[in-house]
Amino acid sequence: MPPGASVPPGASVPPAASAPPGASAHSGLPAAIAYFSPEFGITAALPQYSGGLGILAGDHLKAASDLGVPLLGVGLLYRHGYFRQSLSREGWQQEHYPLLDPNELPLTHLCEADGRPVRVTLTLPGGRPLSARVWQAQVGRVPLLLLDSDLEENGPGERDVTDRLYGGGSEHRLRQEMLLGIGGVRAVRAYCRLTGHAEPEVFHTNEGHAGFQGLERIRELVADGADFDAAHEAVRAGTVFTTHTPVPAGIDRFDRELVARHFGDDAELPGIEAERILALGMETYPGGEPGLFNMAVMGLRLAQRANGVSILHGRVSREMFAGLWPGFDPEEVPITSVTNGVHAPTWTAPEVARLGARQFGHLPDGELWELRRTLRKRLVAEVRRRLYDSWRQRGAGTAELGWIDGVLDPDVLTIGFARRVPSYKRLTLMLRDRDRLTRLLLHPERPVQIVVAGKAHPADEGGKRLVQELVRFADDPRVRHRLVFLPDYGMGMAQRLYPGCDVWLNNPLRPLEACGTSGMKAALNGGLNLSVLDGWWDEWYDPDFGWAIPTADGEAVDETRRDDLEAAALYDLLERRVAPCFYDRGPEGLPGRWIGMVRRTLTTLGPRVLADRMVREYVDRLYVPAARSHRALDPSAAAGLATWKARLRAAWPGVAVDHVEAQPTPPSPGGAAELGSVLSLRVWVRLGGLDPADVAVQAVAGRVDDADRITDATHVPLAPASDPDAEGRLRYEGTLALDRTGPFGYTVRVLPVHRLLAHPAEAGLIAVPSRTTSEAAGVLMR
């Protein structure tokens, strides 16, 4: 079981988990939250993860348990896990899929009262059943339900639905995601029925793979008499969607006809028209492909609240999905961010955990330095053991491997780089100038040693070539004692690797790293970060915690030139700043400046990167508001909101800003506005038959960029000041203070408003002045 787990496998869950510290009984904490993810990295003994998404999900569950947040995890049980990685003699990645026996894992069956294992059943095209049993793991106080289709009553194709993580073609992936989402909700209902666990008020979808859970909940409400639109509103209110990828290629997209075949009268969700389902995943924005069904788009349309996983990733996500909210600037797209965190008991070395962050402020330099050397020495031993095993798998004889005893040195600056191997993470950036890298590795006074690990997806031939390129360089007898590639990266290796590295390297193409939590795990152990300003490092970088690799993003350079520039910047940092800082020893033989950075990383950065902080933010900013919305949208309220939105959409083509007048006070020569004056606005608006209570009219003011777009905007409400005139227009009035220097502008707009909307852009409707409406709405000062 993972560190910190306090309840043995199979134990019952307390009927009501305590609220997180600081939450009161009246805080609106949900009775329960169902957390869906395609993968969970809980422990090396339960290999159900491929990389950061799964590790994050595991840390989320563990932190929720520590805090007493009433979470319930939902996933799939893959009989072959992801894959085990080894290397051929030529350094080519080889995949192995050992069969896992659930009875030998920390799992128990979810059973009916009579002892029969629970069955969850879906209907595939042609009426074929897909059945799954439900296994239960216990992550501290948090139950984790895992669905498994490897049952005798299933046909061969159905048995293989949960054979492996991220394997198979489109139809296989679609069926996995249907089982995760639709079957997952059915498993949750069975679990709550059998154990008395509170029914979830909030459903959290960790990436788009589990998006079908929203459709199953809509089906439940339709079966109880709601119409589709009302059910959709009710489901959205209690749903949180987290996107983890800033890379469009990382989003699952299925052929529209494939999805259509899996729903309908002789397939799944027969009570819902297939066209309504297809519309949820349709790419209706400019550049979208109407023939594809986009799981992230469906996830966003089924959730009232959405977030990215770092501040920068939130901004990238708003730009990426802005087409779903036409007329709104990206900064107003309703996607916020909660920066990921990591679970300290899982990722902190025992020696570091025993001391705790507070004690590091008082620990003598010598003791802190000796602690770091102890962790480095342990890593050296671990690397040699794993490297020996790897070479034996590659066909080497014992007599060939005596050199491994001299691999790495516990007194040499040690850099770690370990992650999945998609191209944007740039595994081989360090190889751009091999002669320069070799000089760094073999420097007579300030040598560097590097430990590298990572898996390429089995279908990613380009990623496998990158692995082979790195391995072949590491095989060179000149450098193999200083640069090592370790195959089969996983949690067990990572728990030794993070504490033992002095520096954690991360060099993705900015801004394609959503968060990148590996550097957080290194920081928990006093490792310094050397990273591109991407993901979490973009918001928390400080010279006390490490170094920022300069990037060429946004510059007019091709990919090859960009890699050359950024690799050169990496070498410069290592040569001129990182290595000198590590080897600059004072009178007592200690690197004082380095130790000071380690100390500040442990005491200041460490507490920020904790999963406890992350889960608290989810509770305060997403779970509690979602629970309140869920409670507010009872069947009557949901039906009323759906009716209002339908009326709104029908009338909106008639909504317009008809005329704008602006008068500065005090008046200035020529009628131009000046800094310090107040602008009186009078705006005539057509409401197209809507009631004034259905809309808000605003002035939007702020700085103007080079493209004449308003940035850093302030929104000023305008109030109705007249009854409708002969043409049916209402006049709105208000004042705008011109209190900023520099290019400054304003416009006016009309937005829908309703007490049950979570965000002004939620309805995706906006009316702004046309170019011919008024010259007054525009740039005022330059």
Side-chain angles (χ1 to χ4, degrees):
M1 290 304 291
S6 57
V7 181
S12 62
V13 177
S18 59
S24 72
H26 305 289
S27 65
L29 185 71
I33 304 117
Y35 181 90
F36 286 68
S37 180
E39 50 177 300
F40 286 92
I42 306 296
T43 170
L46 190 62
Q48 301 292 304
Y49 60 91
S50 72
L53 178 68
I55 299 300
L56 180 279
D59 284 4
H60 196 110
L61 264 58
K62 295 172 191 175
S65 172
D66 295 343
L67 294 170
V69 176
L71 212 68
L72 172 63
V74 185
L76 300 179
L77 180 69
Y78 305 97
R79 284 303 181 98
H80 296 284
Y82 186 41
F83 70 90
R84 301 295 300 272
Q85 177 197 48
S86 64
L87 300 171
S88 72
R89 188 71 189 229
E90 296 73 34
W92 188 254
Q93 172 179 296
Q94 298 176 316
E95 297 92 29
H96 311 276
Y97 294 91
L99 182 64
L100 302 173
D101 182 355
N103 295 297
E104 296 178 356
L105 299 174
L107 300 170
T108 57
H109 278 120
L110 178 64
C111 292
E112 298 287 352
D114 61 6
R116 290 179 299 109
V118 166
R119 289 290 190 269
V120 168
T121 303
L122 274 67
T123 305
L124 297 180
R128 297 195 323 279
L130 166 62
S131 294
R133 81 187 88 195
V134 182
W135 296 92
Q136 180 183 339
Q138 200 69 34
V139 185
R141 287 181 283 183
V142 172
L144 170 60
L145 307 179
L146 300 172
L147 282 76
D148 169 20
S149 69
D150 187 17
L151 300 173
E152 290 186 2
E153 60 257 41
N154 283 329
E158 288 74 44
R159 291 189 74 161
D160 287 344
V161 166
T162 57
D163 61 346
R164 62 191 62 178
L165 179 58
Y166 302 142
S170 290
E171 186 166 44
H172 182 264
R173 288 286 291 274
L174 176 63
R175 291 179 178 181
Q176 280 191 338
E177 295 180 12
M178 290 176 65
L179 182 60
L180 173 60
I182 298 170
V185 173
R186 294 172 186 174
V188 167
R189 302 305 187 205
Y191 179 82
C192 294
R193 169 176 57 83
L194 291 165
T195 65
H197 191 283
E199 290 282 356
E201 293 186 288
V202 175
F203 285 74
H204 184 174
T205 304
N206 192 39
E207 231 349 309
H209 310 81
F212 289 122
Q213 58 85 14
L215 287 177
E216 168 63 6
R217 291 159 57 217
I218 288 175
R219 183 203 63 79
E220 292 176 330
L221 294 173
V222 169
D224 285 342
D227 66 25
F228 182 92
D229 291 328
H232 184 194
E233 294 300 337
V235 165
R236 287 183 70 254
T239 302
V240 174
F241 174 73
T242 297
T243 176
H244 286 264
T245 177
V247 186
I251 295 171
D252 278 339
R253 301 159 83 204
F254 297 107
D255 181 81
R256 174 185 170 92
E257 295 305 316
L258 174 65
V259 175
R261 285 201 304 274
H262 281 77
F263 294 96
D265 291 340
D266 65 343
E268 199 43 71
L269 308 186
I272 300 176
E273 295 178 14
E275 286 302 317
R276 300 301 300 263
I277 294 171
L278 293 171
L280 290 169
M282 187 178 296
E283 298 179 352
T284 54
Y285 40 82
E289 297 187 35
L292 293 179
F293 184 91
N294 186 309
M295 293 296 290
V297 167
M298 179 180 67
L300 289 165
R301 286 179 172 145
L302 285 173
Q304 195 175 52
R305 290 166 178 83
N307 69 285
V309 291
S310 68
I311 290 175
L312 177 59
H313 179 232
R315 184 162 72 244
V316 170
S317 298
R318 287 189 289 277
E319 294 170 353
M320 183 174 172
F321 294 109
L324 294 175
W325 290 271
F328 289 90
D329 292 332
E331 56 265 28
E332 288 197 279
V333 166
I335 301 176
T336 184
S337 63
V338 175
T339 302
N340 284 344
V342 295
H343 186 245
T346 299
W347 301 111
T348 307
E351 297 89 341
V352 178
R354 279 195 294 268
L355 288 169
R358 292 181 181 177
Q359 292 191 46
F360 287 117
H362 308 289
L363 196 67
D365 282 6
E367 291 184 32
L368 184 52
W369 184 239
E370 185 57 32
L371 170 62
R372 290 295 314 150
R373 187 181 188 278
T374 297
L375 298 174
R376 197 183 310 117
K377 184 177 180 180
R378 183 183 300 155
L379 174 62
V380 169
E382 178 80 1
V383 166
R384 291 174 181 174
R385 180 185 67 79
R386 288 179 178 270
L387 191 62
Y388 180 86
D389 291 344
S390 173
W391 272 101
R392 290 289 288 161
Q393 287 181 323
R394 294 174 71 181
T398 303
E400 300 177 62
L401 302 178
W403 59 273
I404 289 179
D405 292 339
V407 166
L408 303 189
D409 182 328
D411 293 309
V412 166
L413 171 61
T414 304
I415 298 173
F417 182 100
R419 51 193 32 89
R420 291 184 304 109
V421 190
S423 59
Y424 75 88
K425 291 182 182 283
R426 298 193 293 186
L427 171 74
T428 57
L429 186 70
M430 64 181 77
L431 303 183
R432 296 297 289 188
D433 186 336
R434 298 183 182 210
D435 290 339
R436 194 169 179 187
L437 175 60
T438 301
R439 291 196 298 272
L440 276 164
L441 296 171
L442 304 180
H443 194 284
E445 289 88 30
R446 299 192 299 272
V448 169
Q449 58 194 16
I450 306 175
V451 182
V452 183
K455 293 180 177 180
H457 187 280
D460 182 3
E461 295 297 310
K464 292 181 184 179
R465 283 192 291 272
L466 294 177
V467 169
Q468 185 180 47
E469 184 181 354
L470 195 287
V471 170
R472 284 179 168 174
F473 181 83
D475 286 350
D476 188 330
R478 294 179 303 157
V479 299
R480 65 188 182 186
H481 65 300
R482 287 283 186 258
L483 192 150
V484 174
F485 181 88
L486 299 179
D488 208 29
Y489 179 50
M491 288 186 72
M493 182 193 297
Q495 285 167 325
R496 291 294 180 91
L497 189 55
Y498 296 129
C501 290
D502 300 293
V503 172
W504 197 259
L505 174 62
N506 190 26
N507 47 230
L509 280 168
R510 187 182 192 271
L512 301 184
E513 184 82 277
C515 186
T517 56
S518 58
M520 295 179 171
K521 296 160 192 157
L524 286 178
N525 293 279
L528 307 183
N529 275 269
L530 171 61
S531 176
V532 165
L533 289 176
D534 202 2
W536 75 276
W537 192 235
D538 181 69
E539 64 196 78
W540 286 332
Y541 161 70
D542 186 286
D544 281 345
F545 310 144
W547 300 269
I549 302 172
T551 62
D553 65 300
E555 299 182 19
V557 295
D558 61 31
E559 189 172 309
T560 299
R561 176 64 175 155
R562 176 172 175 173
D563 284 353
D564 288 340
L565 290 171
E566 295 184 10
L570 170 60
Y571 299 138
D572 286 345
L573 279 169
L574 288 170
E575 289 175 348
R576 299 174 186 176
R577 297 178 60 189
V578 180
C581 185
F582 183 86
Y583 289 104
D584 182 15
R585 307 299 163 90
E588 297 181 354
L590 300 175
R593 215 158 34 104
W594 188 279
I595 293 171
M597 293 175 70
V598 170
R599 190 186 309 279
R600 287 186 288 274
T601 293
L602 288 166
T603 58
T604 305
L605 179 59
R608 296 185 195 173
V609 302
L610 297 180
D612 284 11
R613 183 269 313 153
M614 171 188 72
V615 170
R616 289 174 189 271
E617 289 189 24
Y618 272 106
V619 169
D620 292 341
R621 297 172 49 200
L622 294 167
Y623 293 162
V624 167
R628 289 173 178 158
S629 291
H630 164 79
R631 293 164 192 160
L633 259 79
D634 59 25
S636 175
L641 180 60
T643 300
W644 178 82
K645 282 189 176 181
R647 180 169 61 86
L648 192 75
R649 293 189 184 101
W652 203 258
V655 176
V657 178
D658 205 50
H659 183 69
V660 179
E661 291 181 358
Q663 179 64 46
T665 304
S668 54
E674 296 181 348
L675 180 65
S677 62
V678 173
L679 198 67
S680 297
L681 295 176
R682 304 175 78 194
V683 180
W684 282 262
V685 174
R686 296 182 186 273
L687 296 185
L690 293 175
D691 190 275
D694 294 327
V695 302
V697 181
Q698 299 174 339
V700 182
R703 300 188 186 280
V704 178
D705 63 16
D706 293 339
D708 279 352
R709 293 174 303 194
I710 294 173
T711 62
D712 190 21
T714 298
H715 304 98
V716 178
L718 303 180
S722 72
D723 294 327
D725 63 14
E727 298 180 44
R729 305 179 305 176
L730 284 97
R731 187 175 80 252
Y732 285 76
E733 296 181 353
T735 58
L736 188 61
L738 306 184
D739 54 1
R740 305 188 199 185
T741 58
F744 181 86
Y746 84 98
T747 187
V748 295
R749 66 183 187 179
V750 185
L751 299 171
V753 61
H754 192 286
R755 65 180 183 85
L756 295 175
L757 296 182
H759 190 281
E762 181 179 323
L765 299 171
I766 188 171
V768 296
S770 66
R771 291 186 178 274
T772 59
T773 295
S774 173
E775 295 182 1
V779 177
L780 296 172
M781 300 186 299
R782 284 199 178 277

